[in-house]
Amino acid sequence: MSTPAVRLAFSRSCRALSGVFPDMEAVLAWFAAKDRRDRFTVRRVPLCALSQWAYLPGPLRLGHCSGKFFTIEGIGVESSCGPVRSWDQPIINQPEIGILGLLAREIDGVLHFLMQAKMEPGNVNILQLSPTVQATRSNYSRVHGGHAPRYLEYFTEPGLATVLLDQLQPEQGARFLFKRNRNMVVAVDHEVPVHEDFCWLTLGQIKALLTRDNIVNMDARTVVSLIPMADPDEPPDYGQLDGVGGFRRDAYLSYCRSDRERHSMDAIMTWLTVGKARHAMRLTPLPLDGLRGWKVTDEAIFHESGLYFSVIGVDVAACTREATRWSQPLLHHHGEGLVGFLCQSHGGVLHFLARGTLEPGNRDGVLIGPTVACSEVAARASRFCAPRFLERFLDPAGLTVRYDAVQSEEGGRFHHFRNRYMIVELPPGLPLDTPEHYLWLTLGQLWRMARHGHVNIEARNLLACLGAEESPL
Amino acid sequence: MSTPAVRLAFSRSCRALSGVFPDMEAVLAWFAAKDRRDRFTVRRVPLCALSQWAYLPGPLRLGHCSGKFFTIEGIGVESSCGPVRSWDQPIINQPEIGILGLLAREIDGVLHFLMQAKMEPGNVNILQLSPTVQATRSNYSRVHGGHAPRYLEYFTEPGLATVLLDQLQPEQGARFLFKRNRNMVVAVDHEVPVHEDFCWLTLGQIKALLTRDNIVNMDARTVVSLIPMADPDEPPDYGQLDGVGGFRRDAYLSYCRSDRERHSMDAIMTWLTVGKARHAMRLTPLPLDGLRGWKVTDEAIFHESGLYFSVIGVDVAACTREATRWSQPLLHHHGEGLVGFLCQSHGGVLHFLARGTLEPGNRDGVLIGPTVACSEVAARASRFCAPRFLERFLDPAGLTVRYDAVQSEEGGRFHHFRNRYMIVELPPGLPLDTPEHYLWLTLGQLWRMARHGHVNIEARNLLACLGAEESPL
């Protein structure tokens, strides 16, 4: 398929609420049936009771005795910007590049994506929908001692499928050190056997599920975020907009009205370059027991203030997973965070307010983030340190809430880490005072920048949520 | 100026051989006049005799006693690809981001760029043409104890000039650890006082100088490489091609015939992602006196084989430089290297054969490099380790040599480090067996990838050299 043909197929799939499953009720019924059986048993245990995990010396860190998977290490951070300029924290170090992959196939003229009902120990509801494959290198190399993930060969063996998209994308820079995954979409033009935990969904059906809390997992959201609703390299195809109105139409046009962009791509690159050149973080490796403000015990690692996150241990028993029983550390998060984009029509085209965002685990300094990304909203809002524009989301009187749902972050590394994701539209012409590290971008521009790895995972998550039918369920 | 207006101005300037200087003879006469006076005295001295530089302990490295400028450190490299999988080497660590900046101004309807006749101790001919500003952070912060570089304020103070281009670009990954500089072009619409060491040149004049050996320095070449000959976002403007023929016309069209590209941008991103995901280098910091094969003495640091490079000391006396006398280490290179692009018409449009290139100092793994980049050609060609396609450059019988000149690498860090840069065109249809880490790209595609920092400095250097009038001098 040529690029325009692929983008057209994406765009059509995005508008399809009917496919192998005739409607969303059937999708939800399938998911509910999966949800009734095969549950994990997840039991919290002290870190010192984790099988094959231990505190390792020189400098003190938490790791697996095989040397594989990941380690939890300490870092000291000196930042040239932000309200807090110096802090210590634990961070996950997993230098390998994994694969988050969606297998696609045209069925009855509509592109479908093979989604997996997958259990992860850290999810509040255990079962969520993941992409076809979410594989770390430890998965391929079978450190689990289990099987290779199903369908992995379509992503790793040349010639088995057509690659539609393959990009390296960064993950949470506040929790992962330099972590990136390949985000892939590959297509086959023939039937493949569908295992009982998998199902074919249209992009429209996935977007509809994204209007609900905690169904589509983070790994699926980041891949979906890279699939454009409309072709950013072509002028709008108004024929495709038949029957599409309101905010969804505005979002579609924000992908392809490149004649109406407020800033040129050159200007956006300049803005990002200035951010990267002006602001930097200096990281120093530290032993876990040398981190200011953190307590390291046999039970857990936690901050004296009770804020941020803690490192806990879980013991997991399952019957359908690659390995049936294992234990591992997870980063437990206490409160709910908020991740939000403000958007507004400029010159008749929807623009999104991006914020240059610097986090210690960013491999390349400042990235393009959403307007607001804030952990522990309740705790922060009650203190002096609420970030700029947070109040527009907490009290959006006079504004239009276009998206509002709670989504879970990676349940294989995080325990009960949820963020409320919001998109709030300002009335056209309402003035907004934006400091220099904020910039208005169209969706086409965000997509172009994301393709090169310049857009952080919080912002990509919000892009994924755009384009659902209004009230589809 | 809007983006299309800027690109049009670039394109016009690229075709202008006449400007403030009426012709190339006048340009060369000005440069020759500069070259007759104010020479540096560069004297080689033992490393231990360098003022304020010393071997520093823990781990052993060579550094300045202020802690500024740069250090020369040891690394061990483990690579997942290439003929040699493991080696040790010294490398330059200079984590700060500098500015390489061209000041531009329209004079009599043609965009001119302010070039500086600048002496650097490592240049074979001392004096070369540099961009308006080449400033490290140590320059701004006056570690030299000298003056701030002239014209720096146009690049650092908001509002003094219009930013036309501002990109972070990587430098030699084989010699610098994670080094990047901002490459900037800024424009003013008024007169500025021109210091006697500076002159206004058109882009066409700079390109003409690039057909000669060792006149335009590396810092100027990397900035020039980012200025497109034609607007890659617009269809070709054949009106601009009046009187432009041959290879120069082909190069122009290779920027903007995006309807005739052999691979889509999605396919190029996929190719690069696969390279980054498959191949990696692991770096271990090592003391300089713990590097396999390297000798560290009071005199110099060098490899037992006599190959690669050595670290030497120089004592410099000058009268026009920011500081009039200083000493510093430089990386001395013995033989001449060769950097070359093969190009060929595919579907009527010129494509360039890029090679996925991995070097230890690359911040983000594999980058897009030229077809061949080879140090010490003579030494390698006589042994078993000549890189693929080198013979096409050394013996281009039946092919057309489109560019062939010797250029110097950064004379502030390297001593007599020269590469022969070549562009060689294959006849259309001549089959070439290209392994999977090679890919054919148009100039427009190379430019698009360069904008996001994906193209290495050797490849960018060749891009800079394209577009000169044939036999302009």
Side-chain angles (χ1 to χ4, degrees):
Chain A
M1 283 195 278
S2 70
T3 298
V6 168
R7 303 243 178 105
L8 190 62
F10 284 155
S11 176
R12 277 207 191 114
S13 182
C14 189
R15 282 174 290 123
L17 275 181
S18 178
V20 168
F21 289 109
D23 54 32
M24 289 309 299
E25 270 178 31
V27 175
L28 289 170
W30 180 86
F31 185 73
K34 289 290 136 192
D35 207 14
R36 275 195 291 271
R37 59 197 188 94
D38 299 333
R39 274 199 169 271
F40 275 13
T41 314
V42 179
R43 200 165 48 87
R44 184 164 168 180
V45 295
L47 289 176
C48 67
L50 292 176
S51 162
Q52 300 197 280
W53 289 84
Y55 285 116
L56 308 170
L60 191 77
R61 64 202 190 280
L62 186 64
H64 193 261
C65 62
S66 68
K68 306 263 173 152
F69 301 110
F70 58 92
T71 53
I72 295 175
E73 306 181 355
I75 53 168
V77 184
E78 303 290 327
S79 173
S80 67
C81 58
V84 181
R85 298 296 174 99
S86 172
W87 71 89
D88 296 346
Q89 67 166 87
I91 198 162
I92 303 172
N93 187 0
Q94 184 176 12
E96 60 185 27
I97 294 173
I99 291 177
L100 309 178
L102 273 178
L103 183 63
R105 187 186 156 220
E106 207 163 79
I107 304 173
D108 293 333
V110 178
L111 204 60
H112 282 66
F113 301 89
L114 193 60
M115 301 292 287
Q116 178 183 11
K118 184 172 171 69
M119 292 182 281
E120 290 284 9
N123 291 341
V124 278
N125 52 350
I126 303 291
L127 190 81
Q128 296 197 3
L129 278 181
S130 86
T132 320
V133 161
Q134 84 193 28
T136 60
R137 234 174 230 282
S138 306
N139 280 138
Y140 318 2
S141 51
R142 322 267 176 95
V143 188
H144 279 289
H147 307 290
R150 285 176 208 283
Y151 306 107
L152 179 63
E153 64 275 18
Y154 292 101
F155 300 87
T156 55
E157 291 181 23
L160 286 190
T162 305
V163 178
L164 305 186
L165 187 155
D166 186 358
Q167 301 172 8
L168 272 188
Q169 293 291 347
E171 305 227 338
Q172 284 88 349
R175 299 290 178 266
F176 286 108
L177 195 61
F178 312 144
K179 178 90 187 318
R180 294 179 307 172
N181 278 315
R182 280 170 80 176
N183 285 230
M184 300 181 70
V185 180
V186 307
V188 291
D189 54 8
H190 55 77
E191 268 193 53
V192 292
V194 175
H195 177 272
E196 60 174 344
D197 289 339
F198 291 76
C199 68
W200 289 110
L201 296 185
T202 68
L203 190 54
Q205 289 173 333
I206 298 170
K207 298 255 181 196
L209 290 173
L210 274 164
T211 63
R212 299 199 153 204
D213 294 352
N214 297 316
I215 293 185
V216 181
N217 82 359
M218 187 204 85
D219 294 335
R221 298 196 306 273
T222 172
V223 183
V224 165
S225 75
L226 305 170
I227 302 176
M229 286 172 63
D231 190 338
D233 292 331
E234 300 285 336
D237 174 0
Y238 288 98
Q240 285 198 51
L241 285 172
D242 262 4
V244 177
F247 187 70
R248 202 173 170 213
R249 182 185 183 91
D250 293 344
Y252 177 97
L253 291 172
S254 183
Y255 267 102
C256 48
R257 286 303 303 269
S258 56
D259 54 327
R260 290 286 191 87
E261 290 159 349
R262 185 165 164 166
H263 303 287
S264 69
M265 285 303 289
D266 287 336
I268 295 168
M269 284 307 298
T270 294
W271 172 78
L272 185 62
T273 302
V274 169
K276 284 180 192 283
R278 288 222 185 116
H279 303 298
M281 283 181 172
R282 188 185 292 266
L283 268 55
T284 313
L286 293 174
L288 282 176
D289 58 354
L291 301 179
R292 286 169 289 168
W294 293 83
K295 295 284 184 198
V296 176
T297 71
D298 282 352
E299 176 69 28
I301 303 168
F302 55 92
H303 197 264
E304 292 169 345
S305 68
L307 289 171
Y308 314 115
F309 62 90
S310 49
V311 182
I312 64 168
V314 292
D315 193 71
V316 188
C319 52
T320 61
R321 174 96 186 185
E322 291 89 354
T324 53
R325 185 176 186 136
W326 75 93
S327 63
Q328 68 169 91
L330 288 172
L331 267 59
H332 174 72
H333 286 71
H334 311 292
E336 202 174 274
L338 190 145
V339 178
F341 258 128
L342 287 179
C343 62
Q344 189 174 34
S345 177
H346 295 244
V349 171
L350 202 60
H351 282 67
F352 289 73
L353 187 61
R355 177 172 171 270
T357 303
L358 185 58
E359 292 178 318
N362 292 3
R363 176 177 289 263
D364 189 24
V366 169
L367 292 175
I368 296 173
T371 318
V372 166
C374 171
S375 59
E376 301 159 304
V377 175
R380 288 191 190 226
S382 66
R383 290 156 63 207
F384 66 97
C385 58
R388 195 163 185 125
F389 302 124
L390 179 62
E391 76 287 357
R392 303 273 177 169
F393 296 90
L394 298 181
D395 177 18
L399 314 178
T400 312
V401 177
R402 296 300 189 178
Y403 181 84
D404 188 357
V406 175
Q407 304 294 355
S408 299
E409 308 308 329
E410 170 63 44
R413 295 290 172 271
F414 301 120
H415 186 256
H416 297 190
F417 184 9
R418 285 157 296 164
N419 281 304
R420 184 176 173 194
Y421 284 89
M422 295 183 77
I423 296 172
V424 169
E425 186 173 1
L426 304 170
L430 182 79
L432 200 70
D433 178 31
T434 55
E436 64 178 10
H437 58 295
Y438 291 83
L439 199 74
W440 290 102
L441 280 78
T442 65
L443 291 177
Q445 293 179 323
L446 283 166
W447 179 87
R448 279 172 212 281
M449 297 302 281
R451 171 147 84 160
H452 295 281
H454 298 311
V455 176
N456 78 6
I457 195 161
E458 289 82 3
R460 297 203 310 277
N461 263 298
L462 281 167
L463 297 185
C465 300
L466 281 160
E469 287 256 342
E470 280 161 67
S471 317
L473 300 181
Chain B
M1 283 196 278
S2 70
T3 297
V6 169
R7 304 243 177 103
L8 190 62
F10 284 154
S11 177
R12 277 205 190 114
S13 182
C14 188
R15 282 173 290 123
L17 275 181
S18 178
V20 168
F21 290 109
D23 53 33
M24 289 310 299
E25 271 178 31
V27 175
L28 290 170
W30 180 86
F31 185 72
K34 288 290 136 193
D35 208 14
R36 277 196 289 271
R37 56 196 190 94
D38 298 333
R39 273 200 170 270
F40 275 12
T41 315
V42 180
R43 198 165 49 87
R44 183 162 168 182
V45 295
L47 289 176
C48 67
L50 292 176
S51 162
Q52 300 198 282
W53 289 83
Y55 286 117
L56 308 170
L60 191 78
R61 63 203 189 281
L62 185 65
H64 193 260
C65 62
S66 68
K68 305 264 172 151
F69 302 111
F70 58 91
T71 53
I72 295 175
E73 306 181 356
I75 52 168
V77 183
E78 303 289 328
S79 175
S80 66
C81 58
V84 181
R85 299 296 175 98
S86 172
W87 71 88
D88 295 346
Q89 67 168 86
I91 197 162
I92 303 172
N93 188 0
Q94 185 175 12
E96 60 185 28
I97 294 173
I99 291 177
L100 309 178
L102 275 178
L103 183 64
R105 186 186 156 219
E106 206 163 79
I107 303 173
D108 292 333
V110 178
L111 205 60
H112 282 66
F113 301 89
L114 193 61
M115 301 293 287
Q116 178 183 10
K118 186 173 169 68
M119 291 182 282
E120 291 284 8
N123 290 341
V124 278
N125 51 351
I126 303 291
L127 190 81
Q128 296 197 3
L129 278 180
S130 85
T132 321
V133 162
Q134 89 193 24
T136 60
R137 232 172 233 283
S138 307
N139 280 136
Y140 318 3
S141 52
R142 323 268 175 94
V143 189
H144 279 289
H147 307 291
R150 285 177 210 283
Y151 307 107
L152 179 63
E153 65 275 18
Y154 291 102
F155 299 87
T156 55
E157 289 182 23
L160 287 190
T162 306
V163 179
L164 304 186
L165 188 154
D166 187 358
Q167 302 172 9
L168 272 188
Q169 293 292 347
E171 306 226 338
Q172 284 89 348
R175 298 290 177 267
F176 286 109
L177 194 61
F178 312 143
K179 178 90 186 320
R180 293 178 309 171
N181 278 316
R182 281 170 80 175
N183 286 231
M184 299 180 70
V185 181
V186 307
V188 291
D189 54 8
H190 55 78
E191 270 193 51
V192 293
V194 175
H195 178 272
E196 60 174 344
D197 289 338
F198 292 76
C199 70
W200 289 109
L201 296 184
T202 68
L203 191 53
Q205 291 173 333
I206 298 170
K207 299 254 181 197
L209 291 173
L210 275 163
T211 63
R212 299 197 152 206
D213 295 350
N214 296 316
I215 294 185
V216 182
N217 83 357
M218 188 203 84
D219 294 336
R221 299 197 304 274
T222 171
V223 182
V224 166
S225 76
L226 305 170
I227 301 177
M229 287 171 61
D231 191 338
D233 292 332
E234 299 285 336
D237 175 359
Y238 288 98
Q240 286 199 51
L241 285 174
D242 262 4
V244 177
F247 186 71
R248 201 172 171 216
R249 183 186 180 90
D250 293 344
Y252 178 97
L253 291 172
S254 183
Y255 267 103
C256 48
R257 286 302 301 268
S258 56
D259 53 327
R260 288 287 190 86
E261 289 157 350
R262 185 166 164 166
H263 304 286
S264 68
M265 286 301 290
D266 287 337
I268 295 168
M269 284 307 299
T270 294
W271 172 78
L272 186 62
T273 302
V274 169
K276 284 179 191 282
R278 288 224 184 115
H279 303 297
M281 283 182 172
R282 187 184 294 266
L283 267 56
T284 313
L286 293 174
L288 282 175
D289 58 354
L291 302 178
R292 286 170 290 168
W294 292 84
K295 295 283 185 201
V296 177
T297 70
D298 282 350
E299 176 69 28
I301 303 169
F302 54 93
H303 197 265
E304 291 169 347
S305 68
L307 290 172
Y308 314 114
F309 61 90
S310 49
V311 182
I312 64 168
V314 292
D315 194 69
V316 188
C319 53
T320 62
R321 173 95 188 185
E322 290 89 355
T324 53
R325 188 180 183 129
W326 76 93
S327 64
Q328 69 168 91
L330 288 172
L331 268 58
H332 174 71
H333 286 71
H334 313 292
E336 200 174 275
L338 190 145
V339 178
F341 257 128
L342 287 178
C343 62
Q344 190 175 34
S345 176
H346 294 246
V349 170
L350 201 61
H351 283 67
F352 289 74
L353 187 60
R355 176 172 172 270
T357 303
L358 185 57
E359 291 178 319
N362 292 2
R363 177 177 289 263
D364 189 24
V366 170
L367 291 176
I368 295 174
T371 317
V372 166
C374 172
S375 58
E376 300 158 305
V377 175
R380 287 188 189 229
S382 66
R383 289 156 66 207
F384 66 97
C385 59
R388 194 165 188 123
F389 302 124
L390 179 62
E391 76 286 357
R392 303 273 177 170
F393 297 89
L394 298 182
D395 176 18
L399 314 178
T400 312
V401 177
R402 296 299 190 178
Y403 181 84
D404 187 359
V406 174
Q407 303 295 354
S408 298
E409 309 308 329
E410 171 63 44
R413 296 290 173 271
F414 302 120
H415 185 255
H416 297 192
F417 184 9
R418 285 157 297 165
N419 281 302
R420 183 176 173 196
Y421 284 89
M422 295 183 76
I423 296 172
V424 170
E425 187 174 359
L426 304 170
L430 182 80
L432 199 72
D433 178 30
T434 55
E436 64 178 10
H437 58 295
Y438 292 83
L439 199 73
W440 290 102
L441 280 78
T442 65
L443 290 177
Q445 293 179 323
L446 282 167
W447 178 87
R448 278 172 210 282
M449 296 303 280
R451 171 146 86 159
H452 295 279
H454 298 312
V455 177
N456 78 7
I457 194 160
E458 289 83 3
R460 296 201 313 277
N461 263 299
L462 282 167
L463 297 185
C465 300
L466 282 160
E469 286 257 341
E470 279 160 71
S471 318
L473 299 181

